[in-house]
């Protein structure tokens, strides 16, 4: 078992910063009404300093079944990319989120991804219940998702099938969000903050398009215009890159 | 009439702890948007210490018609399993919730139940208005409810008919929630906290499935997969048992 | 013009208490999501002390167009039952709510009413837009409203037609709420707090029944059962009378 | 490039006041649930003192891609009516909102407009997705918007086409709000506060009419009655003019 205490000070500091960020970002989930009770989780890949060659690849994730009020940097769980909890010298009794295997699979197979978020947010999950992709009918969808938000396969928890379904679906899309069938959305980003933003925007467009089509089907935006909006937003918007992925 | 002052110190302490827990859990109802005004109530069976043989079986419940802002451990009402208020030496003017008889019936007939919650949460009540069970179309429903959320009979307040309807419906289901027809949801759990969690999750799935079917009927999950998800969640999830019942 | 400074101390104290209550109750409107911006208003009849024979009949109401953040007891406006602002020695620049004439008409013609509330709460107003009464399909509607929530006529602001529409509709119903066509709900109660409760409950049942019928028409409760629930609730529920009217 | 430090003290003070107002008004957008994450923006034309003849025409707007928690008067960006950021001696690294060109176009072509707001609020955007105007079926719509809320053309970001679409649509209407097709609402007012009020009211009527027509089409109010309500509200309501435009 990997022991955090045996790693270099720089690795320990990188883990500590990731714990802080991941704990703070969990507060965005209830604040943006994406989760109830203990559902939903955020993780972030530990960014290793250049001098840390040979250090283990790690990510930080929410502990399982703990209330959002009781989350803190100390209670976050540190795992290897195989989803195994390491000996971090704290929070011994707390196991990682039951969705850890899916997060780990994404980090192993998508090296560009630095953050993963999973929720059961109401409207994204409503589309997932019907296994229906969200059509790109709004400029903000073109901006953020570059097209439709795709649906992944139905998969049971317990092995790699959820992780594999996420990765295979995202690889065929520009979207940082995937709706896992009858389950709920997973989002990715270059870091945990970007993945949380994608989760917030995914629920917002899921809700808006849900209500839009109640009184007539809104038209899909032309692909050339989607491409134009997506390219501009990913390259120009914000003070730095606006990309969630 | 039973007088709390005549019970052993240990019984009095057990009552005091239940009062604290039940008062605190009431705050979860407005926080999770399950109630408006004074509607909704939480109760918990008093767990007697081993040495308290012969002590009366009691539960603690919300007083009737009191605003959520004015609730405290002191205002909670202590009742026997017949739903009679005992002489607890405090809060003399406050009667127990008008739903006390239903809670008491559940405690008398379901010894495994340690907590009961009743709300009129919007979407669960909308399904109840149509006397329609919520079909198990989401993995989180399989996890938490082990299948559909069933409907209980239409019953008027004033005798045992609501309590009997709850118990008879729950006995034929794995669900910790029942939608009483044209009335609203009742949930149970091994303690009051688990029953509150079931009430939160019941409203969440009622809302999500409501919106899911607005644009096409989502398929029910296969029974074998429901069983697999339910068994795993009840036995593995969380730091301790995730069961609400 | 009536001058508050010329009234007895007891009348002045009764006005001061009503100002405090009405100002505090306005906070319940945004808290219960019944209003946006400056919309919505609460008023209360000033309860005169027994010794105040010959004192003018007054009520207290929100000033017009003032933000909810800026409301205080001092900014509340005191009016006669003709809807004329009296000289209360404070807040000289603030006129009463533009709905004052409607409130005044209710106080003149319904002596049992001590409080009036008007909002444009979303779901009650949605029913009002279609001029459709809310059918009594839930036990909590039977409890609180004693049957359907009725619709009043379309009426323009500027004379007595809104007030007359409210009074004529309420007189033919047990409901403390009326949906004014294409406008929004008005509610009454024995005091302002009871009228606010009726406004909260009116929106809650408007929302629940709206969603209930999206997937099939829920059945109306039998009239005899409505009567039984209503009688019990009005006479037994709560620590005192639960009546909103 | 215009340098703020080279302007008169009075101009500098007018800019400072506009920064304060615009920063504070941004808090109304999440508070009224009109935006998620960093979406949405408020701007205000700088009102120049009489003695400032020859001073440049300016407006103040949100910086691009900055979280609502991190906004302050200092981070607001000052632009000319061509949408060019001036050298204001602060916040050097922050560029103006990506919607700045649209705001600038409105200020150049509508001299009576002193404030502009853009959001993607859920229900207004749902109508925009279908390019469907919101019909005037409620008295509060007649009051505030003087008729239907119109739809503007589909336009891509990057040149004057959004600004031109807003101005051309608003010129043919009394409404201070326009729904830009497949994009979202823009609102205007005599100052930023009035434009924010129009954005709040636009979402409120978009939501209410959305739900109203779910169970039958509500009738449009007669034009003569709309005119009567609009005239009264714009001239009488509130302590000063209630006009948003």
């Amino acid at each position: 078992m990997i022991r955090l205490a045996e790693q270099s000070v720089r690795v320990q500091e990188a883990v500590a910063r990731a714990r802080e960020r991941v704990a703070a970002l969990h507060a965005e989930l209830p604040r943006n009404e994406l989760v109830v009770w203990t559902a939903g989780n955020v993780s972030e890949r530990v960014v290793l300093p250049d001098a840390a060659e040979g250090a283990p690849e790690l990510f930080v994730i929410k502990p399982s079944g703990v209330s959002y009020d009781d989350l803190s940097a100390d209670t976050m769980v540190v795992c290897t990319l195989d989803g195994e909890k390491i000996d971090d010298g704290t929070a011994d009794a707390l196991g990682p989120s039951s969705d850890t295997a899916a997060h780990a699979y994404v980090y192993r197979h998508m090296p560009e991804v630095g953050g993963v978020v999973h929720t059961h947010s109401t409207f994204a999950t409503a589309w997932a219940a019907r296994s229906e992709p969200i059509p790109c009918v709004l400029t903000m969808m073109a901006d953020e998702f570059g097209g439709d938000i795709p649906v992944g396969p139905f998969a049971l928890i317990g092995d790699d099938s959820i992780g594999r379904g996420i990765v295979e679906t995202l690889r065929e899309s520009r979207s940082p969000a995937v709706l896992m069938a009858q389950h709920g959305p997973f989002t990715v980003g270059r870091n945990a903050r970007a993945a949380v933003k994608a989760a917030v925007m995914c629920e917002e467009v899921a809700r808006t398009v849900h209500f839009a089509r109640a009184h007539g089907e809104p038209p899909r935006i032309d692909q050339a215009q989607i491409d134009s909006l997506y390219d501009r937003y990913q390259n120009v918007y914000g003070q730095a890159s606006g990309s969630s992925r």
Side-chain angles (χ1 to χ4, degrees), chain A residues 63-66 70-71 74-77 85 90-97:
Chain A
S64 179
V66 173
D70 298 333
L71 293 180
D74 284 351
T75 56
M76 295 297 117
V77 180
K85 186 185 169 183
T90 62
D92 299 277
L94 298 174
S97 162

Side-chain angles (χ1 to χ4, degrees), chain A residues 90-108:
Chain A
T90 62
D92 299 277
L94 298 174
S97 162
S98 57
D99 296 305
T100 296
H103 289 245
Y105 190 97
V106 174
Y107 290 121
R108 283 203 306 280

Side-chain angles (χ1 to χ4, degrees), chain A residues 147-179:
Chain A
D148 298 357
I149 297 180
V151 171
F154 180 81
L156 289 189
I157 203 165
D159 59 18
D160 274 350
S161 56
I162 293 179
R164 204 167 52 237
I166 295 168
V167 169
E168 288 174 358
T169 309
L170 290 180
R171 277 193 183 141
E172 299 186 0
S173 168
R174 290 190 293 210
S175 166
V178 51
L179 310 175

Side-chain angles (χ1 to χ4, degrees), chain A residues 5-240:
Chain A
E6 295 170 359
Q7 304 300 315
S8 72
V9 171
R10 287 183 149 185
V11 169
Q12 292 185 34
E13 286 172 352
V15 166
R17 284 192 299 271
R19 282 171 176 276
E20 290 285 350
R21 278 195 300 269
V22 172
L25 283 164
H26 273 95
E28 295 290 336
L29 304 189
R31 183 187 181 187
N32 287 281
E33 305 192 349
L34 303 185
V35 296
V36 297
W37 213 247
T38 66
N41 38 68
V42 178
S43 71
E44 188 168 71
R45 192 192 291 269
V46 176
V47 180
L48 295 174
D50 289 342
E53 220 170 285
E57 290 193 279
L58 302 171
F59 69 99
V60 168
I61 193 166
K62 177 176 175 290
S64 179
V66 173
S67 164
Y68 277 79
D69 291 345
D70 298 333
L71 293 180
S72 65
D74 284 351
T75 56
M76 295 297 117
V77 180
V78 188
C79 292
T80 67
L81 295 203
D82 292 319
E84 297 299 319
K85 186 185 169 183
I86 71 165
D87 176 358
D88 62 2
T90 62
D92 299 277
L94 298 174
S97 162
S98 57
D99 296 305
T100 296
H103 289 245
Y105 190 97
V106 174
Y107 290 121
R108 283 203 306 280
H109 292 87
M110 298 182 83
E112 76 277 20
V113 167
V116 177
V117 171
H118 173 45
T119 79
H120 300 135
S121 63
T122 303
F123 288 92
T125 303
W127 290 86
R130 293 188 309 270
S131 294
E132 188 175 3
I134 309 176
C136 185
V137 302
L138 296 169
T139 57
M140 70 172 154
M141 281 192 74
D143 287 346
E144 180 75 26
F145 298 97
D148 298 357
I149 297 180
V151 171
F154 180 81
L156 289 189
I157 203 165
D159 59 18
D160 274 350
S161 56
I162 293 179
R164 204 167 52 237
I166 295 168
V167 169
E168 288 174 358
T169 309
L170 290 180
R171 277 193 183 141
E172 299 186 0
S173 168
R174 290 190 293 210
S175 166
V178 51
L179 310 175
M180 292 301 285
Q182 306 200 249
H183 184 167
F186 282 81
T187 59
V188 298
R190 64 181 192 285
N191 54 32
R193 184 171 178 81
V196 170
K197 180 190 176 189
V200 170
M201 298 304 293
C202 176
E203 179 64 6
E204 180 66 8
V205 300
R207 176 168 39 227
T208 304
V209 182
H210 173 92
F211 287 124
R213 67 175 359 192
H215 299 302
E217 201 66 38
R220 201 167 177 281
I221 299 179
D222 284 345
Q223 190 62 43
Q225 291 169 324
I226 292 174
D227 291 345
S228 165
L229 286 162
Y230 181 72
D231 289 345
R232 188 184 189 287
Y233 189 76
Q234 299 301 321
N235 296 314
V236 178
Y237 179 74
Q239 305 299 340

